[in-house]
Amino acid sequence: MNRTKLAALFAAATLGVSAQKPMNAPSGGKAISDELIGIFFEDINNSADGGLYAELVQNGSFEFSPADRDGWGPATAWKQIRPGHSLGFLEACVEKPVHANNAHYMRLHIERTKEFYDYKGWRGFGIQNDGFDGFSVKAGEKYDFSAFMRNVKGDAKNVRVALVEQKPGWPPSDPRLLAEAYLKVESGDWQKFEAVLTPDSTCQKASLQILALDNGDMDIDVVSLMPEDTYMGHGLRKDLAQALADLHPKFMRFPGGCVVHGGGDGFWNTYRWKTTIGPKETRRQLKNTWGYHQSCALGYFEYFQFCEDLGMEPVPILPAGVSCQGTNGGWNMWPTQAQEVVPMSEMDEWVAEAIDLIEWANGDPATNKCPFNLKYLGIGNEEKISPEFIERFKYIYERVMKAHPEIVIVGTAGPGSHADNPDYENGWKLANELAMPILDEHYYEPNEFFLNKRQYDSYPRDAKTKVYLGEYAAKDKKLIDALAEGLYLLHVERNGDVVAMTSYAPLFARKDGTQWNPDMIYYDNERPYLTCSYYVQQLFGQSSGNYWYGDCVKFEGDAADAIQPMENVHYGQSVILNTKTRQLFVKICNASNEAKKANIDLSRFGIKKMATKTTLAGQPNDENNYEAQPIAPKTEQIKAQKKFSLDIAPYSFVMLQYQL
């Protein structure tokens, strides 16, 4: 798309998101968005259950199904155990469940156990869960067990709950006991039972055993084992949440991504926010778009709470009444993908869902109570911008704006935000027609794109619809890919009057549970593994500000008026002032194979005596993975100077931080 055509698309849009000109900023710069760097969380690559959500039990509610994956069912991730040659069998049942949204539970038919006389003996009939490739537990730390149980037949059931480590070898021997608790199930009605398990030693491959010690029938459901030591006590895995906090994100987009509209599965699998709040046993679980199961224990309340914990703006995304174009094999029918649509006669339900979310998140304005201070709301996620989508998006947009004109609606520019893509063009036409404040662009490209393209330079300066680059990444995770992304972010900062927000995607990937590469953070049960791209994102998150200067850094050999990064030039710079914290950041990226000399003039700023220098450098094909982590930032204190030269090594990123 040429510049004239693009300008025409932007022309009639009204301003919704703007960068406020800061006070006491030296001349020569321009105001930019101070929300440029955020994060995007989608439950892909097993990012929620078995990932950011700290729950250790897999399929604790027995809701796995063949709809999730062929061969799966209520007993997936569980095994029957009968130490001491006890007898019995398991039966998945649905009559009179704990809650209608949580229909399945497991019935234990216990036929033979020894007389209940020895609390230390390995006996009884029951079930075992190994979690997500084993439970990683630490000595002396507390783990909260809970489950709903009821006695169905026979006398009250004494139940032993144990954390154990299985001993290798054959024949199998009694496991090593790490922690245990005893419960007594008497009532024929569902009751919630709780206990605290404190392992006496650390184990990376522990299992949870639940053993009935008396004959008869007993039901069990909603089994949970949660570490007490979670991020801010809010149920998120501490090390993964801290890795996100260390990015200093300004906002979080959630819950997707393709998860929003059910991916290619149709409306039956659409993510509906109301079924993901409230007690865990009442939440509606569903098939995950990426081929596994979603418990929704990490739901809308937890997302908003995490935003509050990290000081991020929440950016929830709701479906727009149109399915993913991948439905029924639609991805193989490009460019005429199949979309399922909600009948217009039913669209008021989807409007109400959006309005109800705003009012749930912000409370009653009459009482001046705003629990989560929601400002942004996305409608739709990279759908094909078909006539059906346009009709339904407009229906939601106009009614939500009438009810809540204070909310900033984020639209979508379709599945590929590049020139000559009809969805991209139609998305911007729709934004123009509705005076939409911000539009979400997505693209994943080889590093050559990010090294060479500078597409936001051609966006008109008077554009009133701002850009949210909601999903992007180079298609590999080597250092050169991260540097390409860093160079592109320098370009974004220079255009921070047009681009309001960005978020790399995807965010997380579990070892041996990854559907999409690359990702920013990989992890196993023990620790996160931070990619080169993570560290680039972290540098930009640490150096956010609201004023950009383009004339403080000059590279030797460049024209006197060159402002980097330029198209097809693989090095660049950006100087950012944060007027709130009175910090100044100089960022220089050299993604080329030649050293560069940067001449830096900061004389217009009142810098103090010392500065912090952070360097990320290596060979272009260096990569952080599970076996090695060769790339990490190196930080040192240096003497601050107003005018100086700096040698920039090939394949490196340097950031200087000053306090004014």
Side-chain angles (χ1 to χ4, degrees):
M1 186 187 304
N2 61 41
R3 185 178 302 197
T4 302
K5 190 173 182 181
L6 181 63
L9 293 178
F10 277 113
T14 58
L15 183 64
V17 180
S18 63
Q20 183 179 358
K21 187 173 182 179
M23 301 294 291
N24 303 319
S27 61
K30 68 175 177 181
I32 63 170
S33 169
D34 62 356
E35 294 181 341
L36 272 178
I37 305 299
I39 56 177
F40 161 47
F41 183 90
E42 178 175 6
D43 192 352
I44 184 174
N45 306 315
N46 295 268
S47 295
D49 298 323
L52 183 60
Y53 190 61
E55 175 63 64
L56 297 177
V57 174
Q58 184 175 188
N59 191 22
S61 292
F62 307 99
E63 294 299 317
F64 281 28
S65 142
D68 302 320
R69 185 175 296 176
D70 287 345
W72 279 17
T76 297
W78 293 93
K79 63 180 68 172
Q80 176 179 290
I81 55 173
R82 50 187 196 92
H85 301 287
S86 299
L87 295 179
F89 65 96
L90 304 177
E91 180 186 7
C93 299
V94 295
E95 297 83 16
K96 297 182 179 180
V98 173
H99 191 274
N101 284 347
N102 187 0
H104 295 87
Y105 56 88
M106 193 61 69
R107 177 161 292 174
L108 280 61
H109 296 279
I110 310 120
E111 294 185 352
R112 187 182 74 191
T113 62
K114 294 181 180 179
E115 175 103 11
F116 183 73
Y117 64 92
D118 183 2
Y119 278 82
K120 301 299 181 183
W122 287 106
R123 64 182 187 84
F125 176 82
I127 51 178
Q128 175 176 307
N129 193 286
D130 298 331
F132 300 88
D133 193 30
F135 295 5
S136 179
V137 297
K138 297 179 181 179
E141 296 201 358
K142 295 181 178 181
Y143 297 84
D144 293 334
F145 169 85
S146 65
F148 282 81
M149 292 185 278
R150 66 182 174 191
N151 187 33
V152 178
K153 181 180 178 182
D155 295 336
K157 305 294 185 293
N158 291 285
V159 176
R160 185 189 196 195
V161 179
L163 268 176
V164 302
E165 180 180 22
Q166 301 291 348
K167 297 178 181 178
W170 185 262
S173 58
D174 290 343
R176 183 168 70 91
L177 180 65
L178 303 173
E180 66 179 342
Y182 287 86
L183 306 167
K184 193 166 187 176
V185 181
E186 299 178 279
S187 175
D189 296 323
W190 287 110
Q191 289 183 306
K192 187 175 183 179
F193 292 82
E194 297 176 313
V196 177
L197 300 178
T198 306
D200 60 10
S201 57
T202 295
C203 179
Q204 296 180 2
K205 294 280 189 179
S207 300
L208 177 69
Q209 294 188 346
I210 305 171
L211 289 162
L213 305 177
D214 300 284
N215 296 348
D217 294 347
M218 184 185 83
D219 292 339
I220 186 167
D221 200 3
V222 199
V223 182
S224 172
L225 189 70
M226 285 283 288
E228 288 191 0
D229 187 19
T230 61
Y231 192 77
M232 295 194 178
H234 290 157
L236 301 187
R237 186 171 142 177
K238 205 169 182 179
D239 56 348
L240 298 186
Q242 187 60 53
L244 298 184
D246 292 342
L247 289 169
H248 302 273
K250 296 297 185 181
F251 64 88
M252 183 171 80
R253 173 179 173 238
F254 60 87
C258 291
V259 166
V260 168
H261 48 210
D265 292 303
F267 282 120
W268 69 271
N269 201 43
T270 299
Y271 194 104
R272 310 298 290 268
W273 73 268
K274 290 183 181 180
T275 64
T276 73
I277 60 175
K280 301 297 191 296
E281 64 271 16
T282 69
R283 300 187 184 188
R284 182 178 71 89
Q285 304 187 25
L286 69 161
K287 175 186 176 181
N288 182 275
T289 292
W290 302 103
Y292 52 92
H293 188 85
Q294 214 169 334
S295 75
C296 294
L298 176 56
Y300 255 64
F301 175 79
E302 289 77 19
Y303 287 129
F304 273 91
Q305 187 175 59
F306 188 49
C307 288
E308 187 175 68
D309 289 343
L310 264 61
M312 304 180 289
E313 295 289 350
V315 186
I317 310 297
L318 295 180
V322 176
S323 77
C324 174
Q325 51 269 22
T327 299
N328 299 322
W331 287 114
N332 299 319
M333 301 163 59
W334 182 271
T336 59
Q337 296 103 322
Q339 285 180 318
E340 293 186 21
V341 299
V342 173
M344 289 304 299
S345 61
E346 299 176 10
M347 282 301 298
D348 285 344
E349 174 187 340
W350 301 77
V351 172
E353 187 160 315
I355 293 173
D356 289 349
L357 173 60
I358 296 167
E359 295 175 355
W360 172 81
N362 285 349
D364 183 358
T367 63
N368 199 31
K369 292 180 180 179
C370 296
F372 294 116
N373 191 32
L374 177 65
K375 295 193 297 187
Y376 297 106
L377 176 64
I379 299 175
N381 168 72
E382 65 176 37
E383 291 88 355
K384 181 177 176 61
I385 312 299
S386 63
E388 293 81 8
F389 172 84
I390 292 172
E391 182 180 18
R392 285 152 183 79
F393 182 93
K394 289 170 65 175
Y395 193 88
I396 298 175
Y397 182 91
E398 290 167 353
R399 285 154 181 78
V400 171
M401 283 289 86
K402 182 177 180 180
H404 288 283
E406 76 281 5
I407 295 296
V408 176
I409 297 293
V410 181
T412 176
S417 301
H418 290 313
D420 301 319
N421 181 323
D423 294 310
Y424 175 59
E425 296 186 21
N426 291 334
W428 275 108
K429 287 178 182 177
L430 180 61
N432 179 19
E433 178 185 346
L434 296 178
M436 201 180 301
I438 189 165
L439 198 67
D440 183 9
E441 297 187 347
H442 294 179
Y443 40 89
Y444 299 91
E445 298 292 339
N447 62 45
E448 289 84 357
F449 172 88
F450 296 99
L451 287 169
N452 297 318
K453 298 297 183 182
R454 302 291 174 259
Q455 73 179 61
Y456 297 120
D457 286 344
S458 64
Y459 282 40
R461 297 301 97 186
D462 59 351
K464 294 180 180 179
T465 295
K466 302 301 181 182
V467 176
Y468 169 27
L469 179 49
E471 295 184 34
Y472 75 98
K475 290 186 174 180
D476 208 341
K477 51 183 180 291
K478 296 179 172 59
L479 177 61
I480 187 60
D481 301 288
L483 292 175
E485 293 157 357
L487 191 63
Y488 197 74
L489 283 174
L490 295 179
H491 155 67
V492 167
E493 284 187 327
R494 185 173 76 239
N495 290 282
D497 53 337
V498 170
V499 183
M501 307 159 82
T502 70
S503 50
Y504 180 103
L507 187 59
F508 281 123
R510 181 178 175 83
K511 185 179 182 181
D512 301 324
T514 299
Q515 297 86 45
W516 180 291
N517 278 298
D519 305 283
M520 192 195 299
I521 301 168
Y522 293 78
Y523 62 92
D524 56 23
N525 284 348
E526 299 303 312
R527 56 165 289 189
Y529 297 83
L530 308 177
T531 62
C532 301
S533 293
Y534 172 90
Y535 289 120
V536 167
Q537 293 289 324
Q538 184 183 60
L539 289 171
F540 277 88
Q542 291 171 342
S543 59
S544 64
N546 51 346
Y547 218 58
W548 173 87
Y549 294 82
D551 59 350
C552 299
V553 180
K554 301 291 184 182
F555 293 96
E556 284 195 1
D558 284 358
D561 60 348
I563 297 179
Q564 306 289 343
M566 297 184 295
E567 190 166 298
N568 299 315
V569 175
H570 297 171
Y571 56 92
Q573 57 83 22
S574 181
V575 175
I576 300 295
L577 173 65
N578 188 321
T579 60
K580 298 175 184 177
T581 63
R582 302 306 299 169
Q583 290 177 311
L584 183 73
F585 303 93
V586 178
K587 286 174 278 194
I588 302 173
C589 180
N590 183 8
S592 76
N593 61 1
E594 296 180 351
K596 299 294 177 183
K597 183 179 288 290
N599 298 316
I600 302 170
D601 184 353
L602 305 177
S603 55
R604 77 187 73 178
F605 305 100
I607 60 175
K608 296 185 178 179
K609 293 182 178 180
M610 298 300 294
T612 301
K613 179 183 179 182
T614 304
T615 304
L616 191 71
Q619 296 303 309
N621 290 325
D622 284 347
E623 178 181 328
N624 290 346
N625 52 43
Y626 293 109
E627 286 71 42
Q629 298 270 297
I631 301 298
K634 294 179 173 58
T635 300
E636 59 182 314
Q637 295 298 115
I638 62 172
K639 183 179 179 181
Q641 303 175 72
K642 292 183 178 180
K643 290 186 178 183
F644 60 102
S645 295
L646 195 63
D647 292 324
I648 309 298
Y651 306 113
S652 68
F653 193 106
V654 176
M655 183 174 79
L656 306 175
Q657 177 179 343
Y658 301 86
Q659 189 67 49
L660 305 184

